[in-house]
Amino acid sequence: MVALLLAACATTRAPVRQPGDAATLGQQEQREKALGDTDHWTLEGRLSVSNGKDSGSGSLTWRQDGARYEFTVRAPVTGRSFRLTGGPDGAELEGLDGGPRRGPDAESLMASTVGWQIPMAELKRWVLGLRADGGAADIAFGADRLPSRIVQDGWTVDYKQWDAARQPPMPSRVFAEKAPYKVRLSIEDWTLDR
């Protein structure tokens, strides 16, 4: 089984979740306006995934270059690397036994080759602390007035930690779950190229 992504530590404190009021929803709209067109960035960190039976983890480098992406995961024990690249013309997964695999998009390619459900299109927005395009979203805010949870498209996205030293603040721990699937990101560094 492909070991792709890292279990982040669970928090011991219960998170504060408040429904949005006019001020927090207004701030979120400003955030989404400011970051909504940000599609050139790199994040470095750790990633773990689970499908309820199997799990995998590793260090992650995610480069987003407009509609094109490069998602590279290095397994900690084996040192083996997996690279998912693609864009509007399809996706390719390298590092599997038997050679590269191709598919129409990242989601279906990952599901068919390794059995992981990773909502790449939505995750591209959620990782920035934004609601994904498309479906309706419920959003709750923490005491810091930043998103603490987004529920959208059957997924629950919990923001466990933010890097408030950055302007605008950026998520540093993002957990997404749609039972039995879990995706956990622990982001160590952001580079935003607007």
Side-chain angles (χ1 to χ4, degrees):
M1 179 54 68
V2 175
L4 281 181
L5 316 159
L6 150 115
C9 300
T11 58
T12 55
R13 293 181 291 152
V16 173
R17 291 201 178 88
Q18 306 165 4
D21 57 21
T24 55
L25 289 171
Q27 286 176 320
Q28 183 64 12
E29 285 179 20
Q30 288 177 348
R31 176 183 186 76
E32 290 178 351
K33 197 174 283 184
L35 291 173
D37 292 333
T38 302
D39 59 1
H40 296 277
W41 46 265
T42 302
L43 71 78
E44 305 262 351
R46 308 279 304 162
L47 177 67
S48 75
V49 295
S50 171
N51 64 6
K53 295 183 217 170
D54 299 315
S55 63
S57 65
S59 62
L60 168 70
T61 301
W62 181 352
R63 288 184 180 86
Q64 192 69 42
D65 186 16
R68 303 211 54 80
Y69 55 85
E70 180 179 318
F71 199 84
T72 304
V73 179
R74 288 165 297 286
V77 176
T78 64
R80 192 168 174 184
S81 291
F82 302 92
R83 186 170 164 250
L84 177 66
T85 57
D89 54 343
E92 180 176 82
L93 180 60
E94 300 173 66
L96 300 175
D97 293 334
R101 308 284 193 331
R102 291 174 185 75
D105 56 62
E107 292 86 351
S108 61
L109 178 61
M110 293 297 290
S112 67
T113 57
V114 295
W116 302 116
Q117 285 286 334
I118 300 177
M120 290 295 292
E122 291 89 351
L123 197 58
K124 176 184 168 188
R125 302 267 303 170
W126 293 336
V127 78
L128 294 168
L130 312 177
R131 293 171 281 195
D133 297 329
D138 290 326
I139 188 167
F141 296 88
D144 56 7
R145 305 179 69 74
L146 293 166
S148 65
R149 173 175 281 174
I150 294 175
V151 179
Q152 189 172 24
D153 296 334
W155 286 83
T156 299
V157 182
D158 286 313
Y159 295 91
K160 303 287 189 177
Q161 188 174 342
W162 286 80
D163 180 355
R166 299 187 66 91
Q167 287 306 314
M170 296 299 291
S172 55
R173 290 181 62 208
V174 181
F175 292 7
E177 181 173 355
K178 179 180 182 180
Y181 303 104
K182 295 179 182 178
V183 179
R184 295 181 174 193
L185 284 162
S186 180
I187 303 164
E188 297 161 4
D189 188 41
W190 276 102
T191 304
L192 297 178
D193 303 319
R194 296 185 193 197

